[in-house]
Amino acid sequence: MSFSTFSGPLRSGTQRYNPGRNTGLVVLTQSLDTGVVTAGAGNVDTPLGILPQGSQIVDITVDQVVVPGGSSTSTVSVGNTSGGAELMAAVATTAGGRFRGTATAATQLAWQTSTTADTPVFVRYAVGVAAGVGRAVITVSYVQRAPDGSQNPTTFEN
C-alpha cells in the first residue's frame, strides 16, 4: 500500500455544472497521537499539522485512549497558535472516551480558516497532577476549499 499526494480541492459527484450540480468536496483529516504523556503538572504544546489555505474545519474530536492515573486530570485544547484555544476551548478528558469542544461563535468563525495563508494547528495537553499519565488522539476534520474559500468553481474548470 502506498500514499498518493495531490493538489486539491477534491470534488466528487456525477454532475459538475449547473443546474443539476451534485458534486461535493471531500472531508480530509489530520491527527495527532500524543503518545503516553508523562509530563509533570503543566502544559504540553505540540503542533498537529497545517491546513491548506481556504479550508473549513468541520469537526475536532479528542479520543482519550489512556486515562490519566491516580488523581491526575487532563484537558485538551486546539488552537492556531502554540498554547492557543482559538479552534477548541479546553475540554476535560480525565474520564476517557470521545470528546468535542463546545461550539461558540468565536470558535466557529475560526473554523473558516485563512484565505491568505495556510493555517497551523496546535494541541495543548494540560496535565493537572504530576503523577498522572494519559494518551489522546486528536483529529481535525476539514474540507479543502479553493484558496479564496469558495466551495464551487465559478467557471467551467475541471
Side-chain angles (χ1 to χ4, degrees):
M1 178 173 282
S2 64
F3 287 95
S4 179
T5 304
F6 59 90
S7 176
L10 178 62
R11 290 183 294 163
S12 180
T14 59
Q15 181 66 6
R16 291 186 291 180
Y17 308 115
N18 287 327
R21 180 174 45 212
N22 67 359
T23 59
L25 298 175
V26 175
V27 175
L28 305 165
T29 64
Q30 291 189 37
S31 295
L32 169 72
D33 185 336
T34 64
V36 176
V37 176
T38 58
N43 300 319
V44 179
D45 296 322
T46 308
L48 180 143
I50 298 175
L51 302 184
Q53 175 183 341
S55 295
Q56 176 189 14
I57 296 172
V58 294
D59 199 13
I60 300 175
T61 57
V62 178
D63 295 323
Q64 185 75 37
V65 295
V66 175
V67 298
S71 61
S72 185
T73 60
S74 61
T75 61
V76 175
S77 59
V78 181
N80 53 25
T81 58
S82 182
E86 300 89 352
L87 303 174
M88 186 184 83
V91 174
T93 60
T94 304
R98 176 163 281 185
F99 301 90
R100 288 181 169 85
T102 301
T104 66
T107 57
Q108 295 308 105
L109 182 59
W111 284 19
Q112 311 302 314
T113 65
S114 173
T115 57
T116 59
D118 291 345
T119 300
V121 178
F122 296 88
V123 170
R124 169 168 278 185
Y125 190 94
V127 179
V129 176
V133 298
R135 178 179 172 195
V137 178
I138 299 90
T139 302
V140 175
S141 300
Y142 64 98
V143 173
Q144 183 182 3
R145 302 183 295 189
D148 67 358
S150 63
Q151 295 188 41
N152 294 302
T154 56
T155 61
F156 291 107
E157 52 190 41
N158 291 324

